[in-house]
Amino acid sequence: KGSKMRLSVAAAISHGRVYRKFGLGPRSRLDMLRNLVTALVRHERIEAPWARADEMRGYAERLIDYAKLGDTNERAMRMANFWLTEKDLIHKLFKVLALRFQPHTGDYTRMMQIPNRETDRAKMAVIELKGNPYPPLIVRRRDTEKTLLNQLLKGYREDMKRAA
Amino acid sequence: LVLVFSPLPRLRDLLQRCWGRLEHGLLLGFSRSQIPPWGPALAVQAPALLPEPVGDTAESNEVPSLFDSILWMAAPKKRRTIEVNRCRRRNPNKLIKVKRNIDTCPECGNLKQKHVLCGYCYAKVKAETRLIRIEMGKKEGGPFNAPTTETVVLYDGEKPTEKEGGKRIIERARKRPSWFGQN
């Protein structure tokens, strides 16, 4: 028997699709992202698979934008009520985080990749709210004075001062 | 009652042939003695006449039988030579790529990838945050008691300044680590 020709594009090709799918469906995806946002607001620094953290970042930042509108705003309160499953965090969001991020325009979170998870080698990321009380993830060290180049530059500066 | 009915024509032919052989065997047995001592070779509960679907006689003439078919299964024609095998196995897309984005961490000296945090330094920070969170848990008392003020962490012998007036203080009973500045 000869094989028949495929007359339509197979549904399994996903060229050019940019949006991610998570969980068992769209509602499951939103529930999972909601759990992650709640955890981020509670703990201010969480570790998660990179794709989930990336997806959650946008939702978390928009939630903070809504919180900046204020406690009395009906839409903001409804958003916070949906996105934060633990209701004591609504107080924290409006009283602590909205105040903390008042001077910032956007960019309230920092996301960095960490070494792969030990069990299944999944690509992991740590996502944190800026201004959290924990130790910083990266410390920028200024070059120490004792390197050769810095010693030479210091000597040059002193020579210039003596000549002047 | 289990009916063995298969839509594939070849399997149905096979079953028919088996059934024919069984009947043939039974007939032989009967000719030898009245009651055959042995049981049936193949016990299949099926109707005595397997139903034939319509328009099938033309198909069954063309399809070759199972045992002398050479077109049915794909099989390699020739042995692949070692030269051809080597070309396939050593093709660059099959080799493991060499990573050129590995550096040493300036803090601890361990190896790290350039776009990834250092594993050792991150483990250090993670351990310290875990201890801070235990202290926070003790201060909050129970679950779902998130504070409505900012938090600040103070180590041995440090006093809160006026800038940290209204904040919740978390005490840690050790010297301040060098990588956790106070600002």
Side-chain angles (χ1 to χ4, degrees), chain A residues 113-133:
Chain A
Q113 192 180 344
I114 51 183
N116 288 356
R117 191 160 39 187
E118 291 302 317
T119 46
D120 57 354
R121 318 307 305 174
K123 182 177 182 185
M124 297 292 278
V126 57
I127 179 165
E128 62 167 11
L129 295 170
K130 291 185 181 169
N132 62 69

Side-chain angles (χ1 to χ4, degrees), chain B residues 10-25:
Chain B
R10 292 185 193 89
L11 270 171
R12 204 196 50 253
D13 287 345
L14 173 64
L15 275 172
Q16 276 186 316
R17 261 177 272 116
C18 288
W19 188 252
R21 282 195 202 107
L22 177 67
E23 281 181 306
H24 187 61

Side-chain angles (χ1 to χ4, degrees), chain A:
Chain A
K1 292 178 205 159
S3 61
K4 61 177 179 349
M5 206 167 59
R6 186 186 280 172
L7 293 170
S8 61
V9 177
I13 297 178
S14 87
H15 289 171
R17 311 278 171 121
V18 293
Y19 300 111
R20 293 186 187 98
K21 296 187 199 179
F22 285 120
L24 319 156
R27 182 67 209 216
S28 162
R29 171 184 164 273
L30 281 175
D31 286 336
M32 194 196 69
L33 292 176
R34 185 167 60 168
N35 287 342
L36 283 169
V37 169
T38 308
L40 180 67
V41 170
R42 165 155 250 121
H43 297 114
E44 301 196 21
R45 179 185 284 178
I46 56 173
E47 248 179 51
W50 195 89
R52 294 183 194 186
D54 197 44
E55 196 82 5
M56 188 264 281
R57 201 176 178 192
Y59 286 99
E61 302 206 342
R62 272 167 212 257
L63 180 65
I64 296 176
D65 282 327
Y66 264 105
K68 277 193 193 173
L69 297 175
D71 206 342
T72 46
N73 193 320
E74 177 56 39
R75 284 175 69 209
M77 191 46 86
R78 276 212 310 268
M79 273 295 178
N81 188 33
F82 175 79
W83 279 98
L84 300 173
T85 50
E86 291 158 18
K87 301 307 169 188
D88 56 317
L89 292 175
I90 302 180
H91 295 276
K92 179 175 175 183
L93 177 72
F94 283 106
K95 291 173 189 171
V96 177
L97 299 181
L99 278 184
R100 192 201 284 180
F101 295 124
Q102 203 62 52
H104 298 47
T105 41
D107 240 3
Y108 313 117
T109 55
R110 184 180 287 130
M111 189 172 107
M112 304 174 136
Q113 192 180 344
I114 51 183
N116 288 356
R117 191 160 39 187
E118 291 302 317
T119 46
D120 57 354
R121 318 307 305 174
K123 182 177 182 185
M124 297 292 278
V126 57
I127 179 165
E128 62 167 11
L129 295 170
K130 291 185 181 169
N132 62 69
Y134 303 123
L137 289 168
I138 42 162
V139 179
R140 299 205 190 274
R141 282 226 188 278
R142 296 197 60 218
D143 261 343
T144 168
E145 267 242 319
K146 299 192 178 79
T147 60
L148 177 62
L149 183 60
N150 282 344
Q151 287 285 302
L152 291 170
L153 286 170
K154 187 172 150 199
Y156 178 76
R157 259 183 265 121
E158 278 165 13
D159 284 345
M160 288 291 112
K161 225 187 298 176
R162 235 178 285 126

Side-chain angles (χ1 to χ4, degrees), chain B residues 46-112:
Chain B
L49 185 68
L50 286 171
E52 299 236 350
V54 182
D56 185 63
T57 46
E59 262 192 300
S60 53
N61 290 338
E62 296 159 16
V63 169
S65 67
L66 179 68
F67 297 103
D68 46 28
S69 155
I70 45 173
L71 305 168
W72 195 31
M73 293 296 225
K77 194 70 179 174
K78 288 298 229 174
R79 179 206 157 108
R80 284 180 179 177
T81 59
I82 187 61
E83 293 87 5
V84 165
N85 280 341
R86 280 198 195 117
C87 286
R88 185 184 65 258
R89 288 169 194 160
R90 297 180 190 185
N91 181 27
N93 76 17
K94 288 230 164 116
L95 301 177
I96 304 176
K97 307 263 182 318
V98 173
K99 284 200 211 290
R100 296 200 178 277
N101 53 3
I102 305 180
D103 250 338
T104 49
C105 171
E107 304 285 321
C108 59
N110 289 8
L111 296 173
K112 71 183 266 302

